[in-house]
Amino acid sequence: MEDIILLKLGEIVLKGLNKRIFEDKLMANVRRRLKQYGNFRVYTVQSTVYVEPQDEFCDMDGALEAMKTVFGVVAISRAAACPKDKDEIFKMAKSYLGDEIRRAKSFKVESKRSDKAFPMTSIQLSQYVGGLLAEAFPETKVDVHNPELVVNIEIRDYSAYVHGIPIPGAGGMPVGSNGRAVSMLSGGIDSPVSTYMMAKRGVSIIPVHFFSFPYTSQLAKEKVIRLAELLGPYCGKLTLEVVPFTHIQEEIRDKCPEEYFTIIMRRFMTRISQRIAEANGCSAIVTGESLGQVASQTMEAMAVTEECVSIPVIRPLVCLDKTEIISVARKIGTFDTSILPYEDCCTVFTPRHPKTKPRLEEVLKAEAPLDVEGLVEEAVTGIERVVISK
Ligand code: ATP
Ligand code: MG
């Protein structure tokens, strides 16, 4: 008899008629993540996804770990299996949850039966097991109204299961349930976090990196690939689009006034992102900008940057402080890679006095000498695709 994993669904339970579609997406994502850990059966009953190993070769620890990055899951429990007999259930609860019961100030037992042939009602079973546990752990009070710990028992077709305090899931909504977006991924701290946050809202991500070889090194590119790999467990399928950006930057440097370098460069990034969005059925562009963080992140600069595209530019970090962004970066494991010291293309031709409040007419005049369409076309044609996760 094997343990199973129970996943509690979050917001998607609120979605009425769409619920089925959301659940199916979530289960597909769960199955995808479980593939490398063995042969599992995955199904949903009443807003809980059951993950059942089908043989003894399944890696349950690996599977449990993997489930922590699946968006749409709010809580995860590993449940121990035992025979469907009231005394066996008590014995399992005592050994499997003994430490948790001892540590808690109070507890209660809650039972659920999907096998209605079981000879006791849920209430009878809870009272029976609860009574024996209370005797076995006299230092922990029984409190049926506001217990610190709930000892859960489930009677299912082939086994009974016992589980206690769940661990937190990743929250959010299943990736793929809320459309697709292009996410501009630099090697910095911010954009991996904005990419993560967008995926958390159920959006499939096409990460895009603008690469200015030889001004930025091969190591800088490898760093971005590594960041994308770290985001893979959250985002699901990922293919990084690496856009050759050198020629555009040189053209800007040679033909435009210095104080507009950054804003013109960002307009190119945005245009190219829109082209990639169109080619991949994406409805938005995501960036890691945060209001006021640098000269190009004022509201005026943002307005000029997005003036050249028609799809929304979404900035999940716009109102977060750097310390808040860093704490997410640490939580999702991208921080240490982000702070590796490789140049980003934004820092290659940084103006000494960038315009913080650029006016559109002036920017249009400044970029007039450039063959915008031709440069965009050239960059898009040269895109290199790096498959991160399938
Ligand atoms: P980050 O920490 O994400 O690099 P930042 O604070 O350095 O951000 P900028 O360099 O102004 O800010 O970039 C703002 C946003 O533009 C980034 O968060 C990212 O979404 C996008 N961006 C910047 N450089 C690149 C790049 N080389 N490739 C892809 N996207 C980029
Ligand atoms: Mg940057």
Side-chain angles (χ1 to χ4, degrees), residues 73-229:
V73 174
V74 285
I76 307 165
S77 299
R78 181 168 176 167
C82 65
K84 292 198 281 186
D85 168 88
K86 61 186 193 308
D87 292 304
E88 294 288 339
I89 294 170
F90 159 66
K91 269 199 270 171
M92 180 52 89
K94 186 178 165 199
S95 64
Y96 189 63
L97 299 176
D99 288 343
E100 285 185 30
I101 298 174
R102 222 172 272 123
R103 252 182 272 133
K105 288 201 180 61
S106 58
F107 80 99
K108 77 166 175 179
V109 176
E110 252 180 35
S111 307
K112 266 200 231 163
R113 298 184 311 163
S114 61
D115 170 14
K116 300 295 177 198
F118 189 75
M120 296 168 104
T121 66
S122 301
I123 294 175
Q124 285 169 338
L125 179 62
S126 299
Q127 285 173 344
Y128 181 78
V129 176
L132 291 178
L133 288 173
E135 278 172 34
F137 302 97
E139 66 279 24
T140 309
K141 271 198 331 235
V142 174
D143 180 348
V144 290
H145 300 296
N146 194 19
E148 192 181 321
L149 171 70
V150 178
V151 173
N152 293 286
I153 299 171
E154 297 206 26
I155 309 291
R156 304 194 63 80
D157 290 349
Y158 301 109
S159 291
Y161 295 97
V162 175
H163 57 101
I165 299 173
I167 50 176
M173 298 165 108
V175 167
S177 66
N178 255 338
R180 299 161 73 79
V182 163
S183 185
M184 289 166 51
L185 188 63
S186 70
I189 297 168
D190 304 331
S191 47
V193 173
S194 51
T195 305
Y196 159 86
M197 285 174 74
M198 201 64 182
K200 187 172 182 206
R201 291 314 295 165
V203 177
S204 299
I205 299 290
I206 312 276
V208 173
H209 180 66
F210 298 92
F211 185 46
S212 295
F213 192 77
Y215 300 104
T216 56
S217 68
Q218 201 59 33
L219 284 174
K221 179 166 131 192
E222 276 157 30
K223 173 181 167 183
V224 175
I225 292 173
R226 180 71 196 128
L227 286 170
E229 284 169 355

